[in-house]
Coordinates of all heavy atoms in Angstrom, one line a residue:
M119 N 206.3 106.8 -79.3 CA 205.0 106.2 -79.4 C 204.0 106.9 -80.2 O 203.1 106.4 -80.7 CB 204.5 106.3 -77.9 CG 205.1 105.2 -77.1 SD 204.4 103.6 -77.4 CE 205.3 102.6 -76.2
A120 N 204.1 108.1 -80.4 CA 203.2 109.0 -81.4 C 203.2 108.4 -82.7 O 202.2 108.4 -83.4 CB 203.6 110.5 -81.3
A121 N 204.3 107.9 -83.2 CA 204.4 107.3 -84.7 C 203.6 106.1 -84.7 O 203.1 105.9 -85.8 CB 205.9 107.0 -84.9
E122 N 203.4 105.4 -83.7 CA 202.6 104.1 -83.7 C 201.1 104.4 -83.8 O 200.4 103.6 -84.4 CB 202.8 103.2 -82.5 CG 204.3 102.6 -82.5 CD 204.5 101.8 -81.2 OE1 203.5 101.3 -80.7 OE2 205.7 101.7 -80.9
T123 N 200.6 105.6 -83.3 CA 199.2 105.9 -83.4 C 198.9 106.8 -84.5 O 197.8 107.2 -84.7 CB 198.8 106.5 -82.0 OG1 199.6 107.6 -81.7 CG2 198.9 105.4 -80.9
E124 N 199.9 107.2 -85.2 CA 199.7 108.1 -86.4 C 198.8 107.5 -87.4 O 199.0 106.3 -87.8 CB 201.1 108.4 -86.9 CG 201.0 109.3 -88.2 CD 202.4 109.4 -88.9 OE1 203.5 109.2 -88.2 OE2 202.5 109.9 -90.0
I125 N 197.8 108.1 -87.9 CA 197.0 107.6 -89.0 C 197.7 108.0 -90.3 O 198.1 109.0 -90.6 CB 195.7 108.3 -89.0 CG1 194.9 108.0 -87.6 CG2 194.8 107.9 -90.2 CD1 193.6 108.7 -87.5
L126 N 197.9 106.8 -91.1 CA 198.7 106.9 -92.3 C 197.7 107.2 -93.5 O 196.6 106.7 -93.5 CB 199.4 105.7 -92.6 CG 200.5 105.3 -91.6 CD1 201.1 103.9 -92.0 CD2 201.6 106.3 -91.7
T127 N 198.2 108.0 -94.5 CA 197.4 108.2 -95.7 C 198.1 107.3 -96.7 O 199.2 107.6 -97.1 CB 197.5 109.7 -96.1 OG1 196.9 110.5 -95.0 CG2 196.7 109.9 -97.4
A128 N 197.4 106.3 -97.0 CA 197.9 105.2 -98.1 C 197.0 105.3 -99.2 O 195.8 105.4 -99.1 CB 198.1 103.9 -97.4
S129 N 197.6 105.1 -100.4 CA 196.8 105.1 -101.7 C 197.3 103.9 -102.5 O 198.4 103.5 -102.6 CB 197.1 106.3 -102.5 OG 196.6 107.5 -101.7
D130 N 196.3 103.3 -103.2 CA 196.6 102.3 -104.2 C 197.2 102.8 -105.4 O 197.5 104.0 -105.6 CB 195.4 101.4 -104.4 CG 194.3 102.0 -105.3 OD1 194.5 103.2 -105.8 OD2 193.4 101.4 -105.7
I131 N 197.4 101.9 -106.4 CA 198.1 102.3 -107.7 C 197.3 103.5 -108.4 O 197.8 104.2 -109.1 CB 198.3 101.0 -108.5 CG1 199.4 101.4 -109.7 CG2 197.0 100.5 -109.1 CD1 199.9 100.2 -110.5
N132 N 196.0 103.5 -108.2 CA 195.1 104.4 -108.9 C 194.8 105.7 -108.0 O 194.1 106.5 -108.4 CB 193.8 103.9 -109.2 CG 194.0 102.7 -110.2 OD1 194.8 102.8 -111.2 ND2 193.2 101.7 -110.0
G133 N 195.5 105.8 -106.8 CA 195.3 106.9 -106.0 C 194.1 106.8 -105.0 O 193.9 107.7 -104.3
E134 N 193.4 105.6 -105.0 CA 192.4 105.5 -104.1 C 192.8 105.2 -102.7 O 193.9 104.5 -102.5 CB 191.5 104.2 -104.5 CG 190.8 104.5 -105.9 CD 189.7 105.5 -105.9 OE1 189.0 105.7 -104.9 OE2 189.8 106.4 -106.9
P135 N 192.3 105.7 -101.6 CA 192.8 105.5 -100.3 C 192.6 104.0 -99.9 O 191.6 103.4 -100.1 CB 191.8 106.4 -99.4 CG 190.6 106.6 -100.3 CD 191.0 106.5 -101.7
I136 N 193.7 103.6 -99.2 CA 193.7 102.2 -98.6 C 193.7 102.4 -97.0 O 194.6 103.1 -96.5 CB 194.9 101.4 -99.1 CG1 194.9 101.2 -100.5 CG2 195.1 100.2 -98.2 CD1 196.0 100.3 -101.1
T137 N 192.8 101.8 -96.3 CA 192.7 101.8 -94.9 C 192.5 100.4 -94.5 O 192.1 99.5 -95.2 CB 191.6 102.7 -94.4 OG1 190.3 102.2 -94.9 CG2 191.8 104.2 -94.8
A138 N 192.6 100.1 -93.2 CA 192.2 98.8 -92.6 C 190.7 98.5 -93.0 O 189.8 99.3 -92.8 CB 192.4 98.7 -91.2
G139 N 190.5 97.3 -93.6 CA 189.2 96.9 -94.0 C 189.0 97.1 -95.5 O 188.0 96.5 -96.1
S140 N 189.8 97.8 -96.2 CA 189.8 97.9 -97.6 C 190.1 96.5 -98.2 O 190.9 95.8 -97.8 CB 190.9 98.8 -98.1 OG 190.7 100.1 -97.7
I141 N 189.3 96.3 -99.3 CA 189.5 95.0 -100.1 C 190.4 95.3 -101.3 O 190.1 96.2 -102.0 CB 188.2 94.3 -100.5 CG1 187.3 94.1 -99.3 CG2 188.4 93.1 -101.3 CD1 185.9 93.7 -99.5
V142 N 191.5 94.6 -101.4 CA 192.5 94.9 -102.4 C 193.0 93.7 -103.2 O 192.7 92.6 -102.8 CB 193.8 95.5 -101.7 CG1 193.4 96.9 -101.2 CG2 194.4 94.5 -100.7
R143 N 193.5 94.0 -104.3 CA 194.0 92.9 -105.2 C 195.5 93.3 -105.5 O 195.8 94.4 -105.8 CB 193.3 92.7 -106.5 CG 193.9 91.6 -107.4 CD 193.2 91.3 -108.6 NE 192.0 92.2 -108.9 CZ 192.0 93.2 -109.8 NH1 193.1 93.7 -110.3 NH2 190.9 93.9 -109.9
Y144 N 196.4 92.3 -105.3 CA 197.8 92.5 -105.5 C 198.0 92.4 -107.1 O 197.7 91.3 -107.6 CB 198.6 91.5 -104.8 CG 200.1 91.5 -105.0 CD1 200.9 92.8 -104.9 CD2 200.8 90.4 -105.3 CE1 202.2 92.7 -105.0 CE2 202.2 90.4 -105.5 CZ 202.9 91.6 -105.4 OH 204.3 91.6 -105.6
I145 N 198.5 93.4 -107.7 CA 198.5 93.4 -109.1 C 199.5 92.4 -109.8 O 199.2 92.1 -111.0 CB 198.9 94.8 -109.7 CG1 200.2 95.3 -109.2 CG2 197.7 95.8 -109.3 CD1 200.6 96.6 -109.9
N146 N 200.4 92.0 -109.1 CA 201.4 91.0 -109.7 C 200.9 89.6 -109.8 O 201.2 88.8 -110.7 CB 202.7 91.0 -109.0 CG 203.5 92.3 -109.2 OD1 203.3 93.0 -110.1 ND2 204.3 92.7 -108.1
T147 N 200.0 89.1 -108.8 CA 199.5 87.8 -108.8 C 198.1 87.7 -108.8 O 197.5 86.6 -109.0 CB 200.0 87.1 -107.5 OG1 199.6 87.6 -106.3 CG2 201.6 86.9 -107.5
G148 N 197.4 88.7 -108.5 CA 195.9 88.7 -108.5 C 195.4 88.3 -107.2 O 194.1 88.1 -107.0
T149 N 196.1 88.2 -106.2 CA 195.8 87.8 -104.9 C 194.9 88.8 -104.3 O 195.2 90.1 -104.5 CB 197.0 87.6 -103.9 OG1 197.8 86.6 -104.4 CG2 196.6 87.3 -102.5
V150 N 193.7 88.4 -103.8 CA 192.7 89.4 -103.2 C 192.5 89.0 -101.7 O 192.6 87.9 -101.2 CB 191.3 89.1 -103.9 CG1 190.2 90.0 -103.2 CG2 191.5 89.4 -105.4
G151 N 192.4 90.1 -100.9 CA 192.2 90.0 -99.5 C 191.8 91.4 -98.9 O 191.7 92.3 -99.5
R152 N 191.5 91.3 -97.6 CA 191.2 92.4 -96.8 C 192.4 93.0 -96.1 O 193.2 92.3 -95.4 CB 190.1 92.1 -95.9 CG 189.4 93.3 -95.1 CD 188.3 92.8 -94.2 NE 187.3 92.0 -94.9 CZ 186.2 92.5 -95.6 NH1 186.1 93.8 -95.8 NH2 185.4 91.6 -96.2
V153 N 192.6 94.3 -96.1 CA 193.7 95.0 -95.4 C 193.3 94.9 -93.9 O 192.2 95.4 -93.5 CB 193.9 96.3 -95.9 CG1 195.0 97.1 -95.0 CG2 194.4 96.4 -97.3
T154 N 194.3 94.4 -93.2 CA 194.1 94.4 -91.6 C 194.9 95.4 -90.9 O 194.6 95.8 -89.8 CB 194.4 93.1 -91.1 OG1 195.7 92.7 -91.4 CG2 193.4 91.9 -91.6
E155 N 196.0 95.9 -91.7 CA 196.9 96.9 -91.0 C 197.6 97.6 -92.0 O 198.0 97.1 -93.1 CB 197.8 96.1 -90.1 CG 198.9 97.0 -89.4 CD 199.9 96.3 -88.7 OE1 199.8 94.9 -88.5 OE2 200.9 96.9 -88.2
V156 N 197.9 98.9 -91.7 CA 198.7 99.7 -92.7 C 199.8 100.3 -91.8 O 199.6 100.8 -90.7 CB 197.9 100.9 -93.3 CG1 198.7 101.8 -94.2 CG2 196.7 100.4 -94.1
K157 N 201.0 100.1 -92.3 CA 202.2 100.7 -91.5 C 203.2 101.3 -92.4 O 203.2 101.2 -93.6 CB 202.8 99.6 -90.7 CG 203.7 98.7 -91.5 CD 204.4 97.5 -90.6 CE 205.4 96.8 -91.4 NZ 206.2 95.9 -90.4
K158 N 204.0 102.1 -91.9 CA 205.1 102.8 -92.5 C 206.5 102.6 -91.9 O 206.6 102.5 -90.8 CB 204.8 104.4 -92.5 CG 205.7 105.1 -93.4 CD 205.4 106.6 -93.2 CE 206.3 107.6 -94.1 NZ 205.8 108.9 -94.0
D159 N 207.4 102.4 -92.8 CA 208.9 102.2 -92.4 C 209.6 103.0 -93.3 O 209.2 103.8 -94.2 CB 209.3 100.8 -92.3 CG 209.3 100.0 -93.6 OD1 209.2 100.6 -94.7 OD2 209.5 98.8 -93.5
E160 N 211.1 102.9 -93.2 CA 211.9 103.6 -94.0 C 211.8 103.3 -95.5 O 212.3 104.0 -96.4 CB 213.3 103.5 -93.5 CG 213.9 102.0 -93.6 CD 213.5 101.2 -92.4 OE1 213.0 101.7 -91.4 OE2 213.7 99.9 -92.5
E161 N 211.2 102.1 -95.9 CA 211.0 101.7 -97.4 C 209.8 102.2 -97.9 O 209.5 102.0 -99.1 CB 211.2 100.3 -97.4 CG 212.7 99.8 -97.1 CD 212.8 98.3 -97.3 OE1 212.1 97.7 -98.1 OE2 213.7 97.8 -96.5
G162 N 208.8 102.6 -97.1 CA 207.5 103.1 -97.6 C 206.3 102.7 -96.8 O 206.5 102.4 -95.6
I163 N 205.2 102.7 -97.4 CA 204.0 102.3 -96.7 C 203.5 100.9 -97.2 O 203.5 100.6 -98.4 CB 202.8 103.4 -97.0 CG1 203.3 104.8 -96.6 CG2 201.5 102.9 -96.3 CD1 202.3 105.8 -96.9
W164 N 203.2 100.1 -96.2 CA 202.9 98.7 -96.4 C 201.4 98.5 -95.9 O 201.0 99.0 -94.9 CB 203.8 97.9 -95.7 CG 205.2 98.0 -96.1 CD1 206.1 99.0 -95.6 CD2 206.0 97.3 -97.0 NE1 207.2 98.9 -96.2 CE2 207.3 97.8 -97.0 CE3 205.7 96.2 -97.7 CZ2 208.3 97.3 -97.9 CZ3 206.7 95.6 -98.6 CH2 208.0 96.2 -98.6
A165 N 200.7 97.4 -96.5 CA 199.4 97.0 -96.1 C 199.5 95.5 -95.9 O 200.0 94.7 -96.7 CB 198.4 97.3 -97.1
L166 N 199.0 95.0 -94.7 CA 199.0 93.7 -94.3 C 197.6 93.1 -94.9 O 196.6 93.6 -94.6 CB 199.0 93.4 -92.9 CG 198.9 92.1 -92.3 CD1 200.1 91.2 -92.9 CD2 198.9 92.1 -90.8
V167 N 197.7 92.0 -95.7 CA 196.5 91.4 -96.3 C 196.2 90.1 -95.6 O 197.1 89.2 -95.6 CB 196.8 91.2 -97.9 CG1 195.6 90.6 -98.5 CG2 197.0 92.6 -98.5
D168 N 194.9 90.0 -95.2 CA 194.6 88.8 -94.4 C 194.7 87.5 -95.1 O 195.0 86.5 -94.4 CB 193.2 89.0 -93.8 CG 192.0 89.1 -94.8 OD1 192.3 89.0 -96.0 OD2 190.9 89.0 -94.4
S169 N 194.4 87.4 -96.5 CA 194.4 86.2 -97.1 C 195.7 85.5 -97.2 O 195.8 84.4 -97.3 CB 193.8 86.3 -98.5 OG 194.6 87.2 -99.2
T170 N 196.8 86.3 -97.1 CA 198.2 85.7 -97.2 C 199.0 85.9 -95.9 O 200.0 85.2 -95.7 CB 199.0 86.4 -98.4 OG1 199.1 87.8 -98.1 CG2 198.3 86.0 -99.7
G171 N 198.6 86.9 -95.2 CA 199.4 87.3 -93.9 C 200.6 87.9 -94.3 O 201.7 88.0 -93.5
L172 N 200.7 88.5 -95.5 CA 201.9 89.2 -96.0 C 201.7 90.7 -96.1 O 200.5 91.2 -96.3 CB 202.4 88.7 -97.4 CG 202.7 87.2 -97.4 CD1 202.9 86.8 -98.8 CD2 203.9 86.9 -96.6
Y173 N 202.8 91.5 -96.0 CA 202.7 93.0 -96.2 C 203.0 93.2 -97.7 O 203.9 92.6 -98.2 CB 203.7 93.7 -95.3 CG 203.3 93.8 -93.9 CD1 203.7 92.9 -93.0 CD2 202.5 94.9 -93.5 CE1 203.3 93.0 -91.6 CE2 202.1 95.0 -92.2 CZ 202.5 94.1 -91.3 OH 202.1 94.3 -89.9
Y174 N 202.2 94.1 -98.3 CA 202.5 94.6 -99.7 C 202.7 96.2 -99.7 O 202.0 96.8 -99.0 CB 201.3 94.2 -100.5 CG 201.0 92.7 -100.6 CD1 200.2 92.1 -99.7 CD2 201.5 91.9 -101.6 CE1 200.0 90.7 -99.7 CE2 201.3 90.6 -101.7 CZ 200.5 90.0 -100.7 OH 200.3 88.6 -100.8
K175 N 203.5 96.5 -100.6 CA 203.7 98.0 -100.8 C 202.4 98.4 -101.4 O 201.8 97.8 -102.3 CB 204.8 98.3 -101.8 CG 206.1 97.8 -101.2 CD 207.3 98.7 -100.8 CE 207.2 100.2 -101.3 NZ 208.4 100.9 -101.2
V176 N 201.8 99.5 -100.8 CA 200.5 99.9 -101.3 C 200.5 100.3 -102.8 O 199.4 100.2 -103.4 CB 200.0 101.1 -100.4 CG1 199.7 100.7 -99.0 CG2 200.8 102.4 -100.5
E177 N 201.6 100.7 -103.4 CA 201.6 101.0 -104.7 C 201.4 99.7 -105.6 O 201.3 99.9 -106.7 CB 203.0 101.7 -105.1 CG 203.3 102.9 -104.4 CD 204.0 102.6 -103.0 OE1 204.5 101.6 -102.8 OE2 204.0 103.6 -102.3
T178 N 201.5 98.6 -105.1 CA 201.3 97.3 -105.9 C 199.9 96.8 -105.6 O 199.6 95.7 -106.1 CB 202.4 96.3 -105.5 OG1 202.2 96.0 -104.1 CG2 203.8 96.8 -105.7
L179 N 199.0 97.5 -105.0 CA 197.7 97.1 -104.7 C 196.6 97.9 -105.4 O 196.9 99.1 -105.8 CB 197.4 97.2 -103.2 CG 198.3 96.4 -102.3 CD1 198.1 96.7 -100.9 CD2 198.2 94.8 -102.6
V180 N 195.5 97.3 -105.7 CA 194.4 98.1 -106.3 C 193.2 97.8 -105.5 O 192.9 96.6 -105.2 CB 194.3 97.8 -107.8 CG1 193.9 96.3 -108.1 CG2 193.2 98.7 -108.5
I181 N 192.4 98.8 -105.2 CA 191.2 98.6 -104.5 C 190.2 97.7 -105.4 O 190.1 98.1 -106.6 CB 190.4 99.9 -104.1 CG1 191.4 100.7 -103.1 CG2 189.0 99.8 -103.5 CD1 191.4 100.2 -101.8
T182 N 189.5 96.8 -104.8 CA 188.5 96.0 -105.6 C 187.2 95.9 -104.7 O 187.2 96.3 -103.6 CB 189.1 94.7 -106.0 OG1 188.3 94.1 -106.9 CG2 189.4 93.8 -104.8
D183 N 186.3 95.1 -105.2 CA 185.0 95.0 -104.4 C 184.9 93.6 -103.8 O 185.7 92.7 -104.1 CB 183.7 95.4 -105.3 CG 183.6 94.4 -106.4 OD1 183.6 93.3 -106.3 OD2 183.3 94.9 -107.5
A184 N 184.0 93.6 -102.9 CA 183.9 92.4 -102.0 C 183.5 91.1 -102.9 O 183.8 90.0 -102.4 CB 182.9 92.5 -101.0
S185 N 183.0 91.2 -104.1 CA 182.7 90.1 -104.9 C 183.9 89.3 -105.3 O 183.8 88.1 -105.6 CB 181.9 90.5 -106.1 OG 182.8 91.3 -106.9
E186 N 185.0 89.9 -105.2 CA 186.3 89.2 -105.6 C 186.8 88.4 -104.4 O 187.8 87.5 -104.6 CB 187.3 90.1 -106.1 CG 187.0 90.7 -107.4 CD 188.2 91.4 -108.2 OE1 189.3 90.7 -108.1 OE2 188.1 92.4 -108.7
L187 N 186.3 88.5 -103.2 CA 186.8 87.8 -102.1 C 186.3 86.4 -102.1 O 185.1 86.1 -102.5 CB 186.3 88.3 -100.7 CG 187.1 89.6 -100.2 CD1 186.4 90.1 -99.0 CD2 188.5 89.2 -99.8
K188 N 187.1 85.4 -102.0 CA 186.7 84.0 -101.9 C 186.2 83.7 -100.6 O 187.0 83.9 -99.6 CB 187.9 83.1 -102.4 CG 188.2 83.3 -103.8 CD 189.3 82.4 -104.3 CE 189.7 82.6 -105.7 NZ 190.9 81.9 -106.1
E189 N 185.1 83.0 -100.5 CA 184.5 82.5 -99.2 C 185.4 81.4 -98.8 O 185.8 80.5 -99.6 CB 183.2 82.1 -99.4 CG 182.2 83.3 -99.7 CD 182.0 84.2 -98.5 OE1 182.1 83.7 -97.3 OE2 181.8 85.4 -98.7
E190 N 185.8 81.4 -97.5 CA 186.5 80.3 -96.9 C 185.5 79.1 -96.7 O 184.4 79.4 -96.0 CB 187.2 80.6 -95.6 CG 188.3 81.5 -95.8 CD 189.1 81.8 -94.5 OE1 189.0 80.9 -93.6 OE2 189.7 82.8 -94.5
T191 N 185.8 78.0 -97.2 CA 184.9 76.9 -97.1 C 185.5 75.9 -96.2 O 186.7 75.6 -96.2 CB 184.5 76.2 -98.4 OG1 185.7 75.8 -99.0 CG2 183.8 77.1 -99.3
E192 N 184.8 75.4 -95.3 CA 185.2 74.4 -94.3 C 184.4 73.3 -94.4 O 183.1 73.3 -94.1 CB 185.2 75.1 -92.9 CG 186.0 74.2 -91.8 CD 186.0 74.9 -90.5 OE1 186.5 76.1 -90.5 OE2 185.8 74.4 -89.5
T193 N 184.9 72.1 -94.6 CA 184.1 70.9 -94.6 C 184.6 69.9 -93.6 O 185.7 69.8 -93.3 CB 184.1 70.2 -96.1 OG1 185.5 69.9 -96.3 CG2 183.6 71.1 -97.1
T194 N 183.6 69.3 -93.0 CA 183.9 68.2 -92.0 C 183.4 66.9 -92.5 O 182.2 66.8 -92.9 CB 183.3 68.6 -90.7 OG1 183.6 69.9 -90.4 CG2 183.5 67.7 -89.6
E195 N 184.3 65.9 -92.6 CA 183.9 64.6 -93.1 C 184.0 63.6 -92.0 O 184.9 63.8 -91.1 CB 184.8 64.3 -94.3 CG 184.7 65.1 -95.5 CD 183.3 64.9 -96.2 OE1 182.6 63.9 -96.1 OE2 183.0 65.9 -96.9
T196 N 183.2 62.6 -92.0 CA 183.3 61.5 -91.0 C 184.5 60.6 -91.5 O 184.9 60.7 -92.6 CB 182.0 60.7 -91.0 OG1 181.7 60.2 -92.3 CG2 180.9 61.6 -90.6
A197 N 184.9 59.8 -90.5 CA 186.0 58.9 -90.9 C 185.6 57.9 -91.9 O 186.3 57.5 -92.8 CB 186.5 58.2 -89.6
S198 N 184.3 57.4 -91.8 CA 183.8 56.5 -92.9 C 183.7 57.0 -94.1 O 184.0 56.5 -95.2 CB 182.5 55.9 -92.3 OG 181.5 56.9 -92.2
A199 N 183.3 58.4 -94.3 CA 183.2 59.0 -95.6 C 184.7 59.2 -96.2 O 184.9 59.0 -97.4 CB 182.6 60.4 -95.4
A200 N 185.6 59.5 -95.3 CA 187.0 59.6 -95.8 C 187.6 58.3 -96.3 O 188.2 58.2 -97.3 CB 187.9 60.1 -94.7
K201 N 187.2 57.2 -95.5 CA 187.7 55.8 -96.0 C 187.0 55.5 -97.3 O 187.7 54.9 -98.2 CB 187.4 54.9 -94.9 CG 188.2 54.9 -93.8 CD 187.8 53.8 -92.6 CE 188.6 54.0 -91.3 NZ 188.2 53.1 -90.3
E202 N 185.7 55.8 -97.4 CA 185.1 55.5 -98.7 C 185.7 56.3 -99.8 O 185.9 55.8 -100.9 CB 183.5 55.8 -98.6 CG 182.8 55.7 -99.8 CD 182.6 54.3 -100.4 OE1 183.0 53.4 -99.6 OE2 182.4 54.0 -101.5
Y203 N 186.0 57.6 -99.7 CA 186.7 58.4 -100.7 C 188.0 57.7 -101.1 O 188.3 57.6 -102.2 CB 186.8 59.8 -100.2 CG 187.6 60.6 -101.2 CD1 186.9 61.3 -102.2 CD2 189.0 60.8 -101.2 CE1 187.5 62.1 -103.1 CE2 189.7 61.6 -102.1 CZ 188.9 62.2 -103.1 OH 189.5 63.0 -104.0
M204 N 188.8 57.3 -100.1 CA 190.0 56.8 -100.4 C 189.9 55.4 -101.1 O 190.8 55.0 -102.0 CB 190.9 56.5 -99.1 CG 191.4 57.8 -98.6 SD 192.4 58.8 -99.6 CE 193.8 57.8 -99.8
R205 N 188.9 54.6 -100.8 CA 188.6 53.4 -101.4 C 188.3 53.6 -102.9 O 188.8 52.9 -103.7 CB 187.5 52.6 -100.7 CG 187.3 51.2 -101.2 CD 186.1 50.6 -100.6 NE 184.8 51.1 -101.0 CZ 184.3 51.1 -102.3 NH1 184.9 50.4 -103.2 NH2 183.1 51.6 -102.5
R206 N 187.6 54.6 -103.1 CA 187.2 54.8 -104.5 C 188.3 55.6 -105.3 O 188.5 55.2 -106.5 CB 186.0 55.8 -104.6 CG 184.7 55.1 -104.2 CD 183.6 56.0 -104.4 NE 182.2 55.4 -104.1 CZ 181.1 56.0 -104.2 NH1 181.0 57.2 -104.7 NH2 180.0 55.3 -103.9
Y207 N 188.9 56.5 -104.8 CA 189.9 57.3 -105.5 C 191.3 57.3 -105.1 O 192.2 57.8 -105.7 CB 189.4 58.8 -105.5 CG 188.0 59.1 -105.9 CD1 187.0 59.3 -104.9 CD2 187.6 59.0 -107.2 CE1 185.7 59.5 -105.4 CE2 186.3 59.1 -107.7 CZ 185.4 59.4 -106.7 OH 184.0 59.6 -107.1
G208 N 191.5 56.6 -104.0 CA 192.9 56.5 -103.5 C 193.8 55.7 -104.3 O 193.4 54.9 -105.3
S209 N 195.1 55.7 -104.0 CA 196.1 54.9 -104.8 C 196.2 53.5 -104.2 O 195.6 53.3 -103.1 CB 197.4 55.5 -104.8 OG 197.9 55.8 -103.5
G210 N 197.0 52.6 -104.9 CA 197.1 51.3 -104.3 C 196.3 50.2 -104.9 O 196.6 49.1 -104.7
G211 N 195.5 50.6 -105.9 CA 194.7 49.6 -106.6 C 195.5 49.1 -107.8 O 196.6 49.4 -108.0
S212 N 194.8 48.4 -108.7 CA 195.3 47.9 -109.9 C 195.6 49.0 -110.9 O 196.2 48.7 -111.9 CB 194.4 46.8 -110.5 OG 193.2 47.4 -110.8
D213 N 195.1 50.2 -110.7 CA 195.3 51.3 -111.6 C 196.6 52.0 -111.4 O 196.7 53.1 -111.8 CB 194.1 52.3 -111.5 CG 192.8 51.6 -111.9 OD1 192.8 50.7 -112.7 OD2 191.7 52.2 -111.4
S214 N 197.5 51.5 -110.6 CA 198.8 52.2 -110.3 C 199.5 52.4 -111.5 O 199.5 51.4 -112.4 CB 199.6 51.4 -109.2 OG 198.9 51.3 -108.1
V215 N 200.2 53.5 -111.7 CA 201.1 53.9 -112.8 C 202.5 53.9 -112.4 O 202.8 54.6 -111.3 CB 200.5 55.2 -113.4 CG1 201.3 55.6 -114.6 CG2 199.0 55.0 -113.8
D216 N 203.4 53.4 -113.2 CA 204.8 53.6 -112.9 C 205.1 54.9 -113.5 O 205.2 55.2 -114.7 CB 205.6 52.5 -113.7 CG 207.1 52.6 -113.5 OD1 207.5 53.5 -112.7 OD2 207.8 51.9 -114.1
I217 N 205.5 55.9 -112.6 CA 205.8 57.3 -112.9 C 207.0 57.4 -113.9 O 207.1 58.3 -114.7 CB 205.9 58.2 -111.8 CG1 205.8 59.7 -112.2 CG2 207.1 58.0 -111.0 CD1 205.6 60.6 -111.1
G218 N 207.8 56.5 -113.8 CA 209.0 56.4 -114.7 C 208.6 56.3 -116.1 O 209.3 56.7 -117.1
Q219 N 207.5 55.6 -116.4 CA 207.1 55.4 -117.7 C 206.4 56.7 -118.2 O 206.4 57.0 -119.4 CB 206.0 54.2 -117.8 CG 206.6 52.9 -117.4 CD 207.6 52.5 -118.5 OE1 207.6 52.7 -119.6 NE2 208.7 51.8 -118.0
V220 N 205.8 57.5 -117.3 CA 205.1 58.7 -117.7 C 206.0 59.8 -118.0 O 205.9 60.5 -119.0 CB 204.1 59.1 -116.6 CG1 203.4 60.4 -116.9 CG2 203.0 57.9 -116.4
T221 N 207.0 60.0 -117.0 CA 207.9 61.2 -117.2 C 209.1 60.9 -118.0 O 209.7 61.8 -118.5 CB 208.4 61.6 -115.8 OG1 209.1 60.5 -115.2 CG2 207.1 62.0 -114.9
G222 N 209.5 59.7 -118.3 CA 210.6 59.3 -119.1 C 211.8 59.6 -118.2 O 211.8 60.2 -117.2
G223 N 212.8 58.8 -118.5 CA 214.1 58.8 -117.6 C 215.0 59.8 -118.3 O 215.0 60.0 -119.4
G224 N 215.7 60.4 -117.5 CA 216.6 61.3 -118.1 C 217.3 62.3 -117.2 O 218.1 62.6 -116.7

């Protein structure tokens, strides 16, 4: 049980400390998120990033600032607004395209 409560010393690719709450960027894809957990296993030290729900090896992360975090936007539309959108931009009108003509057969 002592290993579960052990405070880990984790560092990003530049040697900066990573802790829960740190804002990091995954260097391979540019994914940005906040670290929610740091854990250690036989393969190394890992950080759980909230934006993806995935663990990343801390050596593949770089500390960044909060300006890189994308705000989660949540929009609520009424049923009538959704129907209007589909009427204007949805498929099924005379503007339908035969995708076989666009992509070519082959």
Side-chain angles (χ1 to χ4, degrees):
M119 286 285 185
E122 291 180 24
T123 59
E124 174 185 348
I125 296 176
L126 297 173
T127 303
S129 300
D130 73 356
I131 194 168
N132 296 322
E134 297 293 321
I136 293 179
T137 60
S140 296
I141 299 169
V142 295
R143 182 176 359 96
Y144 178 52
I145 60 174
N146 292 332
T147 62
T149 300
V150 177
R152 188 177 308 274
V153 174
T154 57
E155 179 184 353
V156 177
K157 74 175 192 175
K158 181 177 183 179
D159 67 11
E160 60 279 349
E161 295 181 27
I163 300 175
W164 302 82
L166 178 62
V167 177
D168 66 349
S169 61
T170 60
L172 299 173
Y173 284 93
Y174 298 86
K175 300 247 344 200
V176 293
E177 299 86 18
T178 63
L179 300 173
V180 63
I181 297 289
T182 190
D183 62 47
S185 67
E186 290 196 44
L187 280 176
K188 293 181 181 168
E189 293 293 323
E190 288 187 25
T191 57
E192 191 173 308
T193 58
T194 305
E195 297 292 335
T196 63
S198 60
K201 286 179 185 177
E202 176 64 19
Y203 178 87
M204 289 305 293
R205 187 184 66 72
R206 285 187 182 182
Y207 305 107
S209 62
S212 61
D213 296 335
S214 294
V215 176
D216 179 7
I217 194 165
Q219 298 295 323
V220 175
T221 61

